[in-house]
Amino acid sequence: MGGEKFPEVEGGGSLILAWQVKNKKVLVIGGGEVAAGRILNLLNADAKVVLISPRDGLNPEVAHRVEQKQIEYHDKKYEPSDLDDPAITMVMTAIDDPEASSRIWKLCKEKRIAANIADVPPECDFYFGSVHRDGPLQIMVSTNGNGPKMANIVRRRIAETLPSNIGEAIKKVGALRKKLRVLAPGDEQGPKRMKWMSKVCLQWSLEDLCDMTEQDMDDLLRNYGPDLIPTFEQLKLGESPDEWQFDGSFGWSCVI
């Protein structure tokens, strides 16, 4: 078709998504070390965590979450009726009982509840990767179950290449975008908003974005109407558009 080239299909991967579980009920079965990591991930995503596990099986970190009332806790062994709550949107098991885990998996399938059975890839609707977190920035590396340790190694290698203040810069960009949506609401403004924000990220350096204040944001937004982007230095000096002289150079770039 016209000699066009398209990407080759490479099967065997996973569809990596950012799953929004804020204020949604997630059931965790088991309270050991694996459960501790799962629970922390869920709390970081603002989920409502319900834990079922005998108290003598609680990891110290999990026990801390219980004591601080960060999660809803039931001191008991799992029962099939625990899945009857229609508000449960996800189930994660971390117990040392393969047969019980498989029964939970099958019941989740019957009820159409997404589930993750620890250490049993065939019985998982989703996997956990190795995640780097810096404020709003999250980067996940997955090996699709082939080598969790390798995922950690790759994730650390990626993190080492990132600027130490990239999380703060992203926060500032997010705050600027919110202000822009108030200034220029409506779907019809969408394309212009996107292009204007992209130009800001291309022209301003990472350090500029980190140093940007609320006043700088307001001053910068005055240039949205005429679709202009002053440099950080020009904004600070209060120069007018007819005083701007661009040299064609660009600083750090980001993707919105």
Side-chain angles (χ1 to χ4, degrees):
M1 299 200 32
E4 294 181 79
K5 292 185 177 180
F6 300 100
E8 292 292 331
V9 175
E10 186 179 353
S14 297
L15 183 61
I16 296 180
L17 304 170
W19 199 333
Q20 300 294 334
V21 294
K22 183 176 181 179
N23 295 326
K24 294 182 179 179
K25 184 176 289 188
V26 180
L27 177 64
V28 178
I29 302 170
E33 182 178 354
V34 173
R38 301 286 196 263
I39 290 171
L40 179 58
N41 286 332
L42 290 167
L43 292 176
N44 284 338
D46 301 319
K48 293 182 178 180
V49 181
V50 178
L51 172 66
I52 293 177
S53 173
R55 188 169 293 275
D56 59 8
L58 296 185
N59 168 278
E61 180 178 340
V62 176
H64 170 75
R65 306 293 177 201
V66 171
E67 291 169 4
Q68 295 299 311
K69 300 187 184 303
Q70 296 175 349
I71 60 179
E72 178 184 327
Y73 174 56
H74 299 275
D75 180 6
K76 65 168 195 164
K77 289 185 177 182
Y78 159 80
E79 299 174 359
S81 59
D82 293 324
L83 291 178
D84 290 344
D85 185 348
I88 295 174
T89 59
M90 183 185 296
V91 172
M92 300 182 191
T93 71
I95 56 178
D96 296 324
D97 188 335
E99 291 185 5
S101 293
S102 290
R103 288 195 296 270
I104 295 171
W105 161 258
K106 291 176 182 178
L107 186 55
C108 285
K109 294 304 93 188
E110 291 176 11
K111 294 179 175 292
R112 297 186 177 182
I113 301 174
N116 175 279
I117 310 301
D119 295 326
V120 188
E123 296 184 348
C124 291
D125 291 309
F126 56 91
Y127 303 104
F128 284 88
S130 183
V131 177
H132 171 72
R133 177 80 184 269
D134 183 354
L137 175 65
Q138 290 179 269
I139 300 173
M140 190 186 89
V141 177
S142 172
T143 61
N144 288 297
N146 287 284
K149 184 61 178 179
M150 284 300 300
N152 287 332
I153 293 172
V154 173
R155 184 258 303 165
R156 288 197 297 268
R157 185 72 61 87
I158 292 173
E160 289 169 359
T161 68
L162 297 173
S164 60
N165 53 353
I166 191 170
E168 185 61 26
I170 292 173
K171 286 182 182 179
K172 295 293 182 67
V173 169
L176 181 63
R177 287 186 70 194
K178 289 180 180 178
K179 284 177 173 285
L180 179 56
R181 281 187 170 275
V182 174
L183 175 68
D187 293 340
E188 71 281 357
Q189 287 287 326
K192 181 180 178 181
R193 285 197 306 262
M194 185 177 297
K195 290 180 180 179
W196 190 83
M197 282 298 309
S198 293
K199 287 191 288 186
V200 171
C201 289
L202 286 168
Q203 187 161 306
W204 284 32
S205 71
L206 177 62
E207 290 72 26
D208 292 341
L209 294 170
C210 286
D211 293 339
M212 180 170 55
T213 65
E214 289 282 335
Q215 185 60 55
D216 293 333
M217 293 181 196
D218 293 338
D219 292 342
L220 179 59
L221 287 170
R222 293 192 182 96
N223 297 282
Y224 172 75
D227 198 20
L228 300 172
I229 308 291
T231 66
F232 187 63
E233 291 74 18
Q234 290 164 340
L235 190 76
K236 286 295 190 182
L237 291 172
E239 293 182 355
S240 60
D242 58 359
E243 297 177 285
W244 298 354
Q245 292 183 350
F246 293 101
D247 60 7
S249 63
F250 294 93
W252 174 78
S253 67
C254 69
V255 178
I256 304 299

